[in-house]
Amino acid sequence: MSAAAGPGVDAARVALSGVYLGQAPVAVLAVLTVSGEYSTSLIRTTVTAIPNRPAMLSAKALVLAVAVAGAAGPAVGVSLLAAPRLSLAGGSVLRAGVGTVAYLVLVALFGLGAAAAVRDSGGAVGVVLGLLYLPPLLASMVAEPRLHRLLERASPMSAGLAVQATTDLDRMPIGPWAGLGVLAVWSAAALVGGALLLRYRDI
């Protein structure tokens, strides 16, 4: 079946549009996974139990990724199944669904890494949500085509959500999997930075 509900409309992307808002609680949950321990001083107990701090952060990342994927998978599946004229048998629709779950997992890991680096809940949430939502707003105000395209290709949300596209792929600033790869780089950088600061900084 066609992924389009009408001329110029990407039905799969419309069905999955709830991710724009749904990613915010995922990011907040990820931040609190680390920063909550700092606010209650439980981080000292955790570090005493697991002296290898990067290993501790890796364990948190694994648990968080599994939890987010477990919650996002059914929600994304229901969203696609409930949409008219969409079939999960279509390769592009299935890719959009799987990619959306991966997108939310990467957002969670991004938040976890930011929290390990910043420590403060409010500050980490502000950093993550700012980096997700502000670049698309800036891009919408940029008239210069090359700069606009660069912002679309480099910002974690704009690039990452390209994985939801099922139509007009040749007109997009970045391909679906390449866009998700951009978000993966942001998440990896946050995790590596957070792990290094967690290792060498006093608790």
Side-chain angles (χ1 to χ4, degrees):
M1 293 186 182
S2 170
V9 176
D10 189 335
R13 207 161 194 175
V14 171
L16 297 170
S17 60
V19 170
Y20 283 94
L21 295 178
Q23 64 186 328
V26 170
V28 172
L29 171 65
V31 166
L32 293 178
T33 301
V34 172
S35 63
E37 288 191 291
Y38 278 102
S39 63
T40 59
S41 297
L42 284 176
I43 189 66
R44 298 181 185 277
T45 304
T46 301
V47 170
T48 300
I50 310 176
N52 189 327
R53 298 180 187 184
M56 178 266 288
L57 187 63
S58 298
K60 285 181 178 290
L62 178 60
V63 172
L64 180 65
V66 171
V68 171
V76 167
V78 168
S79 296
L80 291 174
L81 290 172
R85 289 181 290 192
L86 277 182
S87 171
L88 290 178
S92 60
V93 176
L94 182 59
R95 183 254 300 149
V98 172
T100 298
V101 175
Y103 174 87
L104 290 171
V105 170
L106 289 172
V107 166
L109 296 178
F110 184 30
L112 186 74
V118 177
R119 295 187 178 186
D120 176 70
S121 298
V125 168
V127 167
V128 174
L129 295 185
L131 287 172
L132 287 174
Y133 289 109
L134 286 181
L137 292 176
L138 291 174
S140 68
M141 295 184 288
V142 172
E144 205 283 315
R146 286 179 295 182
L147 181 55
H148 178 88
R149 185 178 179 84
L150 177 62
L151 287 171
E152 290 285 320
R153 291 169 62 92
S155 65
M157 183 170 76
S158 296
L161 287 180
V163 78
Q164 293 182 338
T166 61
T167 63
D168 298 325
L169 300 185
D170 57 329
R171 299 181 184 178
M172 295 173 54
I174 192 168
W177 291 120
L180 195 65
V182 170
L183 175 59
V185 170
W186 279 92
S187 300
L191 283 173
V192 170
L196 289 174
L197 288 172
L198 186 63
R199 180 176 181 179
Y200 295 110
R201 190 167 57 187
D202 291 336
I203 296 298

